[in-house]
C-alpha cells in the first residue's frame, strides 16, 4: 500500500488501467464523482454602438418605406442598428437577395455629413449576379480609382434590385423596384486585436469580440463558402444571424 493513498484512490487507479474511458466515466458517476460539463460554444458579437441609423435592412420600395410583406428575402446582413464597423480599407458587403436570375443590381456607396449622404455616390456599380445562392456580396474594388474608406468616417451603402422590362442592358424599372441600405464606419484596429487573432481558432471570433461587424461576417462567410459542410461554421453562422435578428 502506498503511504498517502486511500483505498478509494487505489481502486480508481486499478479501474483506469483496465477499463476504457467510457466505462471509467460511468463508474465515476456511480460513485458520486462530478465530471465537468463543457459549455456549448457560441459566437458572441459585441457591437461598438447602440445608436440606430436611419436605414432599413429589409427590402423597401423606392418611396423609402420598409416593406414587411414584399421581397421578404431581400435583406441587408447587418445588426439591428443598421450600422457596423470595419478595419478593412476596401470592405465587403453582404445581403440576401431573391430572384437573382430575374434582376440586375445597383450598388452605391455614399460619403456622409452628419448622417446625411452626399448627392452623388463615391462608388456605383450595376451588375447581374451569377448563380442561384441567395447570399450576395460585393467587395469595394481597389483598382477602380476609388480611394480607401477614410478612418472614422461614416458611409451609407445602398443596394437596389432593378427589374428589367427589356433586354439584358435595359435598366428601366417598374413600381416593384426594391432597395436596402446600411451604414459603415472604418476604424483603426486596437492594440489587443492582434493578440486576440493569435489566440482564437477562427479570426471571426476576435472580430466579433471587438464589434467589427463587416470583418466578422466576411471572414465567417468566406470560410463557410469554402467548407459548407463544416458543422462549427454552420452553427456559428446561424448563431450570428439570430443574435442580430
Amino acid at each position: 500500500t502506498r503511504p498517502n493513498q486511500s483505498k478509494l484512490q487505489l481502486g480508481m487507479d486499478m479501474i483506469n488501467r483496465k477499463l476504457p474511458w467510457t466505462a471509467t466515466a460511468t463508474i465515476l458517476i456511480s460513485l458520486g464523482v462530478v465530471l465537468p460539463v463543457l459549455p456549448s460554444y457560441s459566437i458572441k458579437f459585441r457591437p461598438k454602438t447602440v445608436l440606430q441609423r436611419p436605414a432599413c435592412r429589409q427590402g423597401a420600395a423606392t418611396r423609402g418605406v420598409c416593406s414587411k410583406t414584399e421581397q421578404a428575402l431581400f435583406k441587408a446582413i447587418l445588426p439591428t442598428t443598421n450600422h457596423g464597423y470595419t478595419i478593412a480599407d476596401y470592405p465587403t458587403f453582404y445581403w440576401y437577395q431573391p430572384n437573382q436570375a430575374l434582376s440586375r443590381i445597383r450598388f452605391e456607396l455614399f460619403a456622409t455629413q452628419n448622417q446625411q449622404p452626399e448627392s452623388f455616390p463615391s462608388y456605383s456599380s450595376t451588375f447581374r449576379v451569377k448563380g442561384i445562392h441567395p447570399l450576395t456580396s460585393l467587395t469595394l474594388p481597389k483598382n477602380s480609382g476609388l480611394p480607401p474608406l477614410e478612418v472614422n468616417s461614416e458611409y451609407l451603402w445602398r443596394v437596389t434590385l432593378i427589374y428589367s422590362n427589356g433586354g439584358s442592358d435595359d435598366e428601366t424599372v417598374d413600381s416593384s423596384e426594391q432597395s436596402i441600405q446600411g451604414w459603415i464606419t472604418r476604424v483603426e484596429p486596437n492594440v489587443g486585436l492582434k493578440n486576440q487573432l493569435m489566440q482564437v481558432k477562427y479570426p471571426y471570433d476576435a472580430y466579433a469580440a471587438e464589434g467589427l461587424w463587416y470583418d466578422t461576417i466576411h471572414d465567417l462567410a468566406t470560410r463557410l463558402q469554402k467548407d459548407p459542410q463544416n458543422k462549427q461554421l454552420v452553427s456559428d453562422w446561424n448563431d450570428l444571424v439570430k443574435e442580430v435578428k
Side-chain angles (χ1 to χ4, degrees):
T1 305
R2 299 176 187 176
N4 298 319
Q5 193 169 32
S6 66
K7 293 181 179 180
L8 176 60
Q9 184 61 49
L10 279 174
M12 294 311 305
D13 288 343
M14 295 176 64
I15 290 171
N16 288 333
R17 286 196 297 269
K18 296 180 179 180
L19 297 178
W21 183 88
T22 53
T24 304
T26 302
I27 293 176
L28 286 172
I29 294 174
S30 67
L31 292 175
V33 180
V34 179
L35 294 175
V37 178
L38 295 177
S40 60
Y41 175 81
S42 177
I43 184 174
K44 292 296 182 182
F45 176 73
R46 297 176 174 84
K48 286 180 173 292
T49 179
V50 295
L51 296 177
Q52 186 77 23
R53 290 298 183 265
C56 185
R57 295 187 300 164
Q58 187 167 331
T62 52
R63 295 185 302 273
V65 179
C66 291
S67 170
K68 295 182 179 180
T69 57
E70 296 180 1
Q71 305 295 346
L73 291 179
F74 187 36
K75 296 180 180 180
I77 301 181
L78 282 169
T80 53
T81 58
N82 300 316
H83 177 272
Y85 289 89
T86 184
I87 58 173
D89 48 359
Y90 292 90
T92 303
F93 305 84
Y94 285 86
W95 64 91
Y96 284 117
Q97 176 193 327
N99 301 326
Q100 290 185 345
L102 302 177
S103 61
R104 291 162 61 84
I105 299 172
R106 181 170 60 246
F107 179 94
E108 297 169 297
L109 180 74
F110 297 86
T112 69
Q113 293 290 337
N114 299 320
Q115 297 187 15
Q116 296 299 318
E118 295 182 350
S119 301
F120 298 97
S122 304
Y123 174 77
S124 178
S125 177
T126 302
F127 57 95
R128 189 184 299 276
V129 176
K130 298 179 180 180
I132 59 175
H133 196 282
L135 180 62
T136 309
S137 66
L138 179 139
T139 301
L140 292 180
K142 295 183 179 181
N143 57 355
S144 64
L146 175 69
L149 297 188
E150 295 183 9
V151 175
N152 297 325
S153 294
E154 197 169 60
Y155 295 81
L156 170 70
W157 60 277
R158 178 183 298 134
V159 178
T160 304
L161 294 183
I162 302 173
Y163 293 90
S164 176
N165 294 326
S168 59
D169 296 327
D170 183 7
E171 294 188 9
T172 304
V173 298
D174 55 28
S175 60
S176 64
E177 178 182 350
Q178 299 283 309
S179 65
I180 51 177
Q181 298 183 134
W183 298 74
I184 184 171
T185 299
R186 181 189 172 194
V187 294
E188 293 284 5
N190 61 39
V191 179
L193 179 60
K194 183 177 180 180
N195 293 331
Q196 292 184 51
L197 289 171
M198 296 175 62
Q199 296 173 5
V200 297
K201 181 178 180 180
Y202 297 117
Y204 61 77
D205 281 323
Y207 295 140
E210 290 296 318
L212 299 169
W213 172 259
Y214 290 91
D215 308 279
T216 301
I217 204 73
H218 181 50
D219 184 71
L220 178 51
T222 300
R223 294 174 186 278
L224 187 57
Q225 289 171 341
K226 292 180 179 179
D227 189 9
Q229 303 303 319
N230 187 310
K231 293 182 179 179
Q232 182 67 72
L233 298 178
V234 172
S235 176
D236 288 346
W237 178 272
N238 290 335
D239 288 344
L240 183 61
V241 294
K242 288 178 181 178
E243 187 176 345
V244 298
K245 300 180 176 60

